[in-house]
Amino acid sequence: CLRQALQIDPDYFNAYYNLAALFAAQHRYDEAELILREALVRHPSETAKAFVRDSQFDSIRELSRFSFLPAKE
């Protein structure tokens, strides 16, 4: 459903956010990284804020492959 939402509206931030959170929770890091990189291009401020604030991303925040995103304050 979320991937379909992005096909219909590639600028729908909530779909990126929810997909990234889902992939992070499932330890599907390759997919989480791709989604977060695309979200950062399309929605830099929202993506950075969500990554820093949301505990759903705790499992990936410290992984070096996600260093392109801001660190938790």
Side-chain angles (χ1 to χ4, degrees):
C1 259
L2 293 171
R3 288 189 190 266
Q4 287 176 325
L6 289 176
Q7 287 177 345
I8 294 167
D9 182 0
D11 286 321
Y12 184 42
F13 173 72
N14 286 336
Y16 288 103
Y17 171 81
N18 289 316
L19 265 176
L22 174 68
F23 292 148
Q26 295 176 340
H27 304 282
R28 294 166 62 181
Y29 301 134
D30 291 340
E31 292 160 294
E33 182 180 0
L34 289 172
I35 293 295
L36 286 167
R37 286 187 182 277
E38 181 66 24
L40 196 59
V41 167
R42 292 181 180 272
H43 305 279
S45 178
E46 296 96 327
T47 303
K49 287 178 192 173
F51 188 75
V52 168
R53 292 181 182 163
D54 196 327
S55 63
Q56 294 184 86
F57 296 111
D58 285 350
S59 66
I60 63 172
R61 193 174 286 115
E62 301 301 322
L63 299 176
S64 62
R65 71 189 304 165
F66 295 98
S67 63
F68 63 93
L69 290 159
K72 195 168 189 172
E73 297 156 352

